[in-house]
Amino acid sequence: MRKSNLMKYYIIGLTLISFTALFLSLNSSGDVKQLKQKLSQKDEIITQLKKQIQEKDKKIQELSQEKEALVEKLKIIEEKIKKANKTLKRKGIRIRLPQGGRFIPAEEGKKLQLYADSLDKNIDKLLKVMADVPIGVPLYGRITSRFGYRRDPFNGRRAFHSGIDLRARYKQPVFATANGYVEFAGWSSGYGKLVIIRHKYGYKTYYGHLAKIRVKKGRWVKAGTVIGYAGSTGRSTGVHLHYEIRRYGKLVNPLRLLYLNRTNSF
Ligand SMILES: [Zn+2]
């Protein structure tokens, strides 16, 4: 081999080595740059995540506060249900409220839902009882004669009045005061045209002196159904409704159930 050839190879080799070194150095500085970039990106992500966690923590705190307030509200509702039940008991209506009403810790979200559901069921039951018991007025009119002893409007003698009289316009609608079955619909001496409705809990309501009867015996009526129209049939001195309540055969003063006043209120 000639000396000049050897020199040529030497130069070529050197050039190759330096190029490779340059390439490698360029490449490695690119790697570092990329790594730095990636790290800063990760830092940013971490900061964002931390921020998100803080926001979530705040939300959780707010929610737990809301939950506590909700539990307090539910407890108040529970007390009201108990009070309503007591009022009914005072009136002699004993009902068994659906299970529940026991306080359940707020931490147990699912049980809190069950607690609310049981209160809801209790309210439904109370509403049903309210519709089954003759509470309220059968006709909008002034009371002209109360329950108990009074002077008889026909002969002036002391006599027992078995219900209350409500002043009415001729053919003013008369409503059933509770859900029940029509036990009687027809003429009865003294009462004139009379409707008797049999309700739950031993109650019966009487609607007397009607001008017209709108229901037939055996029919199921809902509270608020128009059962007839006011008149003056039977032993009556003028257009009015004679309204009477009996419980297990005994006369009850309708005033006790007529209004949801201080003594009747829930
Ligand atoms: Zn009367």
Side-chain angles (χ1 to χ4, degrees):
M1 209 176 273
R2 271 199 233 152
K3 230 183 194 177
S4 60
N5 266 354
L6 201 73
M7 196 64 182
K8 215 195 264 173
Y9 287 128
Y10 178 72
I11 287 165
I12 287 167
L14 212 68
T15 316
L16 272 174
I17 286 163
S18 52
F19 266 118
T20 311
L22 187 70
F23 175 75
L24 281 174
S25 79
L26 276 173
N27 203 32
S28 75
S29 81
D31 273 352
V32 169
K33 239 189 212 167
Q34 266 186 355
L35 270 174
K36 272 187 184 165
Q37 216 171 0
K38 270 184 188 168
L39 273 175
S40 77
Q41 273 176 354
K42 288 235 165 89
D43 274 349
E44 213 173 287
I45 287 167
I46 286 165
T47 323
Q48 274 179 358
L49 281 174
K50 271 185 185 166
K51 219 190 232 172
Q52 280 178 9
I53 286 166
Q54 269 178 350
E55 276 169 15
K56 287 258 157 73
D57 275 348
K58 209 176 149 200
K59 264 262 162 66
I60 286 166
Q61 212 185 341
E62 278 172 6
L63 280 174
S64 82
Q65 274 170 354
E66 263 177 41
K67 207 172 186 178
E68 262 174 54
L70 188 66
V71 169
E72 284 308 306
K73 258 270 146 40
L74 286 178
K75 278 207 271 186
I76 290 167
I77 292 169
E78 187 188 334
E79 282 311 305
K80 282 183 180 169
I81 290 169
K82 281 182 185 164
K83 219 170 150 191
N85 200 22
K86 256 189 200 164
T87 306
L88 286 174
K89 224 181 232 175
R90 271 212 309 275
K91 288 174 183 296
I93 299 147
R94 282 170 202 280
I95 53 161
R96 187 191 283 267
L97 288 173
Q99 262 305 313
R102 258 174 278 112
F103 179 65
I104 287 139
E107 302 90 72
E108 300 167 60
K110 206 186 162 200
K111 284 191 177 172
L112 184 65
Q113 186 71 43
L114 288 175
Y115 179 46
D117 284 349
S118 90
L119 292 181
D120 192 28
K121 270 183 205 154
N122 281 311
I123 290 168
D124 282 347
K125 174 79 182 178
L126 286 173
L127 285 175
K128 211 188 159 302
V129 173
M130 275 176 80
D132 285 337
V133 173
I135 296 168
V137 291
L139 171 140
Y140 301 107
R142 200 164 64 82
I143 297 168
T144 51
S145 182
R146 288 172 180 259
F147 173 84
Y149 283 100
R150 66 165 184 181
R151 198 171 285 278
D152 188 285
F154 280 91
N155 54 33
R157 272 188 254 154
R158 208 168 106 93
F160 193 81
H161 190 215
S162 57
I164 55 163
D165 292 341
L166 295 162
R167 180 179 287 165
R169 281 179 287 105
Y170 182 63
K171 290 207 170 168
Q172 192 178 333
V174 175
F175 309 100
T177 47
N179 300 334
Y181 284 99
V182 176
E183 190 178 83
F184 181 87
W187 186 273
S188 172
S189 64
Y191 289 102
K193 282 187 183 172
L194 170 73
V195 171
I196 302 173
I197 303 173
R198 182 163 43 86
H199 311 283
K200 270 191 176 176
Y201 309 104
Y203 283 107
K204 276 181 192 179
T205 49
Y206 289 57
Y207 310 81
H209 310 307
L210 299 173
K212 200 176 174 228
I213 291 171
R214 240 185 74 167
V215 287
K216 286 210 165 78
K217 189 185 164 179
R219 190 189 140 179
W220 164 260
V221 288
K222 274 181 145 185
T225 303
V226 175
I227 51 138
Y229 301 97
S232 188
T233 55
R235 201 168 180 270
S236 168
T237 49
V239 176
H240 76 281
L241 174 75
H242 173 86
Y243 179 58
E244 194 174 307
I245 303 177
R246 295 184 190 206
R247 189 160 189 226
Y248 299 118
K250 274 190 174 174
L251 288 166
V252 171
N253 184 354
L255 282 185
R256 283 197 64 223
L257 291 159
L258 211 55
Y259 307 112
L260 288 173
N261 59 21
R262 191 156 45 83
T263 50
N264 286 335
S265 68
F266 284 111

